[in-house]
Amino acid sequence: MGLTWKKRVLTALLGAAAALGLTTLILLLVEATSVLLPADTKFGIVFDAGSSHTSLFVYRWPADKENNTGVVSQALACQVKGPGISSYASNPAQAGESLQDCLEEALALVPEAQHQETPMFLGATAGMRLLSQKNSSQAGDIFAAVSRVLGQAPLDFWGAELLAGQAEGALGWITINYVLGTLIKYSFSGEWIRPLEGTLVGALDMGGASTQITFVPGGPILDKSTQATFRLYGSEHRVYTHSYLCFGRDQMLTRLLARLVESSPGPLVRHPCYHSGYWTTLSPAALYESPCVHSTPPPDLARTLTVEGTGNPGACVSAIRGLFNFSSCEGRGHCAFDGVYQPPVRGRFYVEASSPGQDRCASGLYILTLLLEGYGFREETWPNIEFHKQAGGTDIGWTLGYMLNLTGVIPAEVPARWRAESYGIWAAGVVFAVLTLLATLGAVAVHLLWPQG
Ligand SMILES: *[C@@H]1O[C@H](CO)[C@@H](O)[C@H](O)[C@H]1NC(C)=O
Ligand SMILES: *[C@@H]1O[C@H](CO)[C@@H](O)[C@H](O)[C@H]1NC(C)=O
Ligand SMILES: *[C@@H]1O[C@H](CO)[C@@H](O)[C@H](O)[C@H]1NC(C)=O
C-alpha cells in the first residue's frame, strides 16, 4: 500500500518537475530568440552631405527594443567617391550619381524584404549652407538631383534637406551622449536609471566649412537663438549650441591663403604654416569663390600661384589669429583673444605636413588656436577635452542623433512598456525555476525518506 503511494507521489513530483523545467526553458528561449532572430532587426540609412565629402551610414537596432537605449549600432559606413555635393553646382545631375555606389552597398546589406520599411534621409551641412547663400537656385538644383536618385531606390525615402547649424550641433550632442550612455541606461537589475546631470558631455565638432560647440550651460542662456531644448526619456534638456560658419577647417585654410595672397607681391606666396620646401599650385579663382572670403582677388594675380612654406608655427598662429573677428565675439564672454599662446600644449598638435596636400600642421595649429583662444579653454579645462572619430564602434557626428530623433527611437518619455513585459517574463522564469527545484527536491526526499513497505 505504502509502496504504491510512494510510487504515485514520486511520479507526480517528477512529472511536475519535468513540466515546470520545460516551461522555464521555453520562457528562456522566447527571450533569446527575440534577440537573435535577424528578421527582428530594423535598419535606417543617413547620408551626411558635408562640404568636403559625403558619407553614408547604416544603423541597425532590434525591432522589439525600438524604444531602448544603447541598442542602435552602426552597421556600415561608406565614403562617397569625389567631393561634397555642393561642389557639383555646375553639374547637379552628377551630385546624384555620385551617391549610387554607397547606396548599392547599403541596399546589399539591408535584407530585401525590409527595403520598403527602411527609412533613408540625406542631411546637408555647411557646404550647402554656403552654396545656398551664394546661389540658392544652384543649391535647389542639387537637392532636386539628389532626391531624384535617392527617391528611385526601393527604400522609404524621407527626403533631402539642409540642416541648420544649430540642429547640427544639437544632434551631434545627442549622438555622443547616446553612444556614451549618459542620457539613460538600462541597468542589470532591469531598471531604467538616469545618470546624473553632471555626466552629460559637451560636443565640439570640426567640419570642413563650419565648427559647432554644444553643451549644458551652468547658467541661463541669454541669447535665445543659441538655445535648443528637447525632451528625451522623460527629461527636459536645454543646451547652448552655436555653429560658426566659415570657421571649419577647409574654409579657414582658404581664408588664410587668400589673406596671404593679398599681402604678397608676386605669384609666390610664403605660407608660415607649411614646412620648408612645401609648395602647391592653386587656382586663385577657386580661392576667391568661397563666400567666406570677403575680398576680391588682386588684379595682378597670375593664373596660378605657388605657395612655399617656411614651417614657422609662431607665424602660422599669428596668421590664424589675424583671421578671427574680434568684434563678432563681443558680449559672448568666451571669445577672449588676449590669451597668451601656450607652448606646452603645442607638441600635441604640431604635426608637419609630410606631403603636399596634407594640411595637418596648419589644421592642428588652427584647432589649437580655436580651442585655447576662440573658446577660451585653459590649462585646467584642457585635459577634459577628448578627441575622437568614433565611440563604441559608431562614428560621431550629427547623423545618429538625426535618425534617433526622426524615427522616434529615443522617446520623449521613459519607456515603460518593454520593461514590464521583459520583467514579467523574467519573474515568471524565476518562479518556474524555483518550482522545478522544489519538485525535484521533493522527489528526492520522497525517494530517500518514505518508509519502505
Ligand atoms: C545662379 O546659378 C544659375 C545657374 O548656374 C545662374 O544662371 C544664375 O545667374 C546664378 N545666380 C546668381 C545670383 O549668381
Ligand atoms: C527632431 O525631430 C522633430 C520632428 O520629428 C523636429 O521638429 C526637430 O527639429 C528635430 N530636432 C532636431 C534637433 O533636429
Ligand atoms: C516607441 O515609442 C513611440 C513613441 O514614444 C511609440 O509610438 C511606439 O509604439 C513605441 N514602440 C514600441 C515598440 O514600444
Side-chain angles (χ1 to χ4, degrees):
M1 181 74 180
L3 198 66
T4 331
W5 270 108
K6 183 180 173 180
K7 262 191 179 168
R8 277 188 200 167
V9 172
L10 257 182
T11 312
L13 283 172
L14 286 175
L20 290 167
L22 197 66
T23 312
T24 313
L25 197 65
I26 287 170
L27 283 175
L28 288 177
L29 284 179
V30 162
E31 267 292 85
T33 46
S34 69
V35 175
L36 296 174
L37 269 186
D40 285 334
T41 301
K42 282 196 166 193
F43 295 87
I45 301 172
V46 187
F47 278 96
D48 173 2
S51 62
S52 58
H53 71 282
T54 303
S55 313
L56 169 148
F57 297 100
V58 178
Y59 298 105
R60 77 169 144 224
W61 64 96
D64 63 331
K65 292 183 183 172
E66 208 174 323
N67 287 344
N68 265 348
T69 186
V71 291
V72 176
S73 61
Q74 184 175 307
L76 173 74
C78 177
Q79 305 301 326
V80 169
K81 283 190 206 79
I85 57 170
S86 54
S87 315
Y88 293 100
S90 55
N91 188 357
Q94 244 185 319
E97 279 161 32
S98 72
L99 309 178
Q100 280 289 4
D101 287 356
C102 278
L103 181 59
E104 271 159 33
E105 250 189 75
L107 284 172
L109 181 83
V110 179
E112 213 169 313
Q114 276 168 270
H115 281 179
Q116 295 288 342
E117 61 187 65
T118 298
M120 172 166 67
F121 329 87
L122 181 139
T125 55
M128 286 300 282
R129 249 174 256 147
L130 286 175
L131 180 65
S132 48
Q133 271 182 17
K134 206 168 96 180
N135 189 328
S136 61
S137 82
Q138 282 180 342
D141 290 348
I142 291 180
F143 275 123
V146 160
S147 300
R148 210 173 307 124
V149 168
L150 298 184
Q152 278 165 7
L155 298 158
D156 185 11
F157 180 50
W158 288 28
E161 64 169 358
L162 188 61
L163 281 191
Q166 219 175 324
E168 189 181 356
L171 294 167
W173 182 90
I174 294 178
T175 300
I176 185 69
N177 282 289
Y178 177 85
V179 168
L180 294 179
T182 45
L183 288 174
I184 199 170
K185 264 188 175 153
Y186 194 61
S187 74
F188 287 116
S189 61
E191 276 171 43
W192 290 103
I193 46 170
R194 200 170 295 134
L196 299 171
E197 182 86 348
T199 61
L200 291 167
V201 300
L204 293 158
D205 179 9
M206 175 58 68
S210 69
T211 185
Q212 284 75 239
I213 181 168
T214 310
F215 58 93
V216 178
I221 298 172
L222 301 179
D223 179 358
K224 293 298 171 208
S225 70
T226 59
Q227 175 173 299
T229 51
F230 29 84
R231 218 179 148 71
L232 308 169
Y233 300 118
S235 294
E236 184 87 30
H237 294 279
R238 189 178 51 91
V239 297
Y240 167 91
T241 180
H242 193 104
S243 177
Y244 294 88
L245 195 60
C246 295
F247 282 85
R249 200 196 77 126
D250 301 340
Q251 288 304 327
M252 191 65 184
L253 295 177
T254 303
R255 289 159 69 196
L256 198 53
L257 266 177
R259 171 81 53 109
L260 292 168
V261 167
E262 281 153 25
S263 57
S264 143
L268 180 78
V269 176
R270 288 200 180 277
H271 199 305
C273 301
Y274 297 118
H275 192 60
S276 272
Y278 178 99
W279 62 273
T280 187
T281 303
L282 285 167
S283 148
L287 205 59
Y288 285 91
E289 251 170 27
S290 163
C292 295
V293 178
H294 291 299
S295 43
T296 45
D300 62 340
L301 204 65
R303 270 301 303 150
T304 60
L305 76 145
T306 305
V307 180
E308 190 184 72
T310 52
N312 179 344
C316 180
V317 167
S318 302
I320 290 169
R321 260 183 205 154
L323 287 181
F324 281 95
N325 184 355
F326 288 75
S327 61
S328 75
C329 299
E330 271 172 22
R332 256 188 228 126
H334 61 243
C335 283
F337 282 81
D338 53 350
V340 181
Y341 181 59
Q342 298 180 26
V345 192
R346 188 174 65 204
R348 272 178 90 128
F349 272 115
Y350 182 45
V351 183
E352 289 173 9
S354 53
S355 62
Q358 277 196 296
D359 296 315
R360 275 190 278 164
C361 169
S363 354
L365 287 171
Y366 168 52
I367 292 172
L368 190 58
T369 311
L370 176 73
L371 292 176
L372 290 177
E373 305 190 11
Y375 292 144
F377 284 99
R378 287 289 169 259
E379 260 173 84
E380 320 83 78
T381 45
W382 179 264
N384 298 336
I385 307 176
E386 288 184 27
F387 298 85
H388 289 290
K389 188 172 163 51
Q390 281 204 329
T394 300
D395 287 64
I396 302 169
W398 57 267
T399 51
L400 178 57
Y402 187 67
M403 198 204 64
L404 295 173
N405 181 42
L406 282 185
T407 54
V409 175
I410 288 188
E413 299 310 322
V414 180
R417 211 179 68 100
W418 182 77
R419 173 182 57 181
E421 273 178 15
S422 155
Y423 184 78
I425 288 175
W426 177 80
V430 169
V431 169
F432 277 103
V434 168
L435 289 177
T436 309
L437 197 67
L438 285 179
T440 314
L441 285 176
V444 170
V446 165
H447 180 65
L448 295 179
L449 304 176
W450 198 286
Q452 295 292 322

